[in-house]
Amino acid sequence: DAGVIQSPRHEVTEMGQEVTLRCKPISGHNSLFWYRQTMMRGLELLIYFNNNVPIDDSGMPEDRFSAKMPNASFSTLKIQPSEPRDSAVYFCASSLREINEQFFGPGTRLTVL
Amino acid sequence: KNEVEQSPQNLTAQEGEFITINCSYSVGISALHWLQQHPGGGIVSLFMLSSGKKKHGRLIATINIQEKHSSLHITASHPRDSAVYICAVRRGGSQGNLIFGKGTKLSVKP
């Protein structure tokens, strides 16, 4: 298996623009997690899905952030409008079940100017 | 106070040294994870444990549930072990949520 796939790997955008991050989990994994990593706050869970259903979105910073998982092989994290403080590395991870070991994607480095 | 504390924050060692990284947590947990983040940014899961000890190659992870403490040991350290090591816990009763420590940056000099 190719592992968790994220795109793009790098994104530079201007404040106010819409940003969409994409994730393809490992085939057969039922749980998908979106994390954000910054120097100040480290790794934080934003939202996770189980069987394509959002289970906990309490980490989503505000209404500008939204996440979807239309099917078992694809998820998106959207920021609209983006702000400079959203600059971070966004990781997607998947696991067989939500209590199992998680496999991380390579991350998307987002820079909002 | 953070719910997951790691020590030390930074660690420099000479090749071959025995290394210990500590993780203390203040909440009831159902599992604890040790992750490794490479200098290039990729994150790899090393261990997931809820009791006792696990070993993989030169890496050993232990956990003491009563003391709310875990340690990650690296024997015969090598420069390729240089990375950030992150401890994360899953709250008891929680399904998927992980709470992360800030990480320990390890540098192993040849």
Side-chain angles (χ1 to χ4, degrees), chain B residues 49-63:
Chain B
L49 64 167
S50 54
S51 66
K53 179 166 93 172
K54 287 191 175 181
K55 184 175 189 291
H56 186 259
R58 295 180 295 106
L59 301 178
I60 303 167
T62 64
I63 188 168

Side-chain angles (χ1 to χ4, degrees), chain B:
Chain B
K1 188 179 187 302
N2 294 329
E3 292 170 301
V4 181
E5 297 275 1
Q6 289 186 234
S7 63
Q9 284 187 306
N10 294 282
L11 181 56
T12 300
Q14 287 297 126
E15 184 173 357
E17 284 185 1
F18 180 83
I19 288 162
T20 296
I21 299 171
N22 297 297
C23 176
S24 295
Y25 51 91
S26 58
V27 296
I29 70 168
S30 55
L32 183 143
H33 298 245
W34 280 102
L35 309 172
Q36 179 192 54
Q37 186 165 26
H38 300 292
I43 297 175
V44 175
S45 176
L46 298 175
F47 295 103
M48 185 179 75
L49 64 167
S50 54
S51 66
K53 179 166 93 172
K54 287 191 175 181
K55 184 175 189 291
H56 186 259
R58 295 180 295 106
L59 301 178
I60 303 167
T62 64
I63 188 168
N64 185 318
I65 295 294
Q66 286 73 29
E67 295 187 1
K68 295 187 175 175
H69 181 268
S70 175
S71 292
L72 177 68
H73 305 285
I74 305 174
T75 62
S77 60
H78 190 275
R80 65 175 174 265
D81 297 325
S82 298
V84 176
Y85 293 83
I86 302 169
C87 171
V89 302
R90 188 168 69 241
R91 287 180 189 268
S94 159
Q95 293 304 303
N97 299 32
L98 291 182
I99 307 168
F100 295 87
K102 291 288 169 59
T104 294
K105 185 174 182 179
L106 171 65
S107 178
V108 182
K109 305 294 185 187

Side-chain angles (χ1 to χ4, degrees), chain A residues 30-35 44-50 53-58 93-104, chain B residues 30-33 35 48 88-100:
Chain A
N30 295 314
S31 298
L32 182 140
F33 305 80
W34 281 103
Y35 295 102
E44 300 174 288
L45 176 70
L46 297 176
I47 184 171
Y48 83 91
F49 295 83
N50 206 36
V53 176
I55 302 300
D56 187 340
D57 64 355
S58 59
S94 72
S95 62
L96 195 59
R97 289 165 52 211
E98 54 203 335
I99 60 170
N100 292 125
E101 177 186 17
Q102 296 182 18
F103 295 83
F104 286 75
Chain B
S30 55
L32 183 143
H33 298 245
L35 309 172
M48 185 179 75
V89 302
R90 188 168 69 241
R91 287 180 189 268
S94 159
Q95 293 304 303
N97 299 32
L98 291 182
I99 307 168
F100 295 87

Side-chain angles (χ1 to χ4, degrees), chain A:
Chain A
D1 202 309
V4 176
I5 298 172
Q6 290 187 247
S7 65
R9 294 293 306 276
H10 301 272
E11 176 82 27
V12 180
T13 190
E14 291 189 345
M15 184 173 66
Q17 296 298 305
E18 177 180 296
V19 174
T20 299
L21 312 182
R22 297 174 176 80
C23 176
K24 177 178 166 53
I26 293 173
S27 177
H29 281 192
N30 295 314
S31 298
L32 182 140
F33 305 80
W34 281 103
Y35 295 102
R36 178 171 67 177
Q37 185 178 41
T38 61
M39 288 292 291
M40 287 295 293
R41 300 172 68 92
L43 270 166
E44 300 174 288
L45 176 70
L46 297 176
I47 184 171
Y48 83 91
F49 295 83
N50 206 36
N51 294 319
N52 312 339
V53 176
I55 302 300
D56 187 340
D57 64 355
S58 59
M60 296 284 265
E62 49 199 87
D63 291 345
R64 296 185 299 108
F65 285 68
S66 63
K68 293 183 180 179
M69 191 164 187
N71 57 62
S73 59
F74 184 66
S75 177
T76 59
L77 178 68
K78 186 176 292 187
I79 308 172
Q80 166 64 18
S82 58
E83 297 183 2
R85 61 192 167 121
D86 302 330
S87 297
V89 181
Y90 291 81
F91 287 97
C92 175
S94 72
S95 62
L96 195 59
R97 289 165 52 211
E98 54 203 335
I99 60 170
N100 292 125
E101 177 186 17
Q102 296 182 18
F103 295 83
F104 286 75
T108 295
R109 182 174 295 276
L110 173 65
T111 303
V112 183
L113 302 173

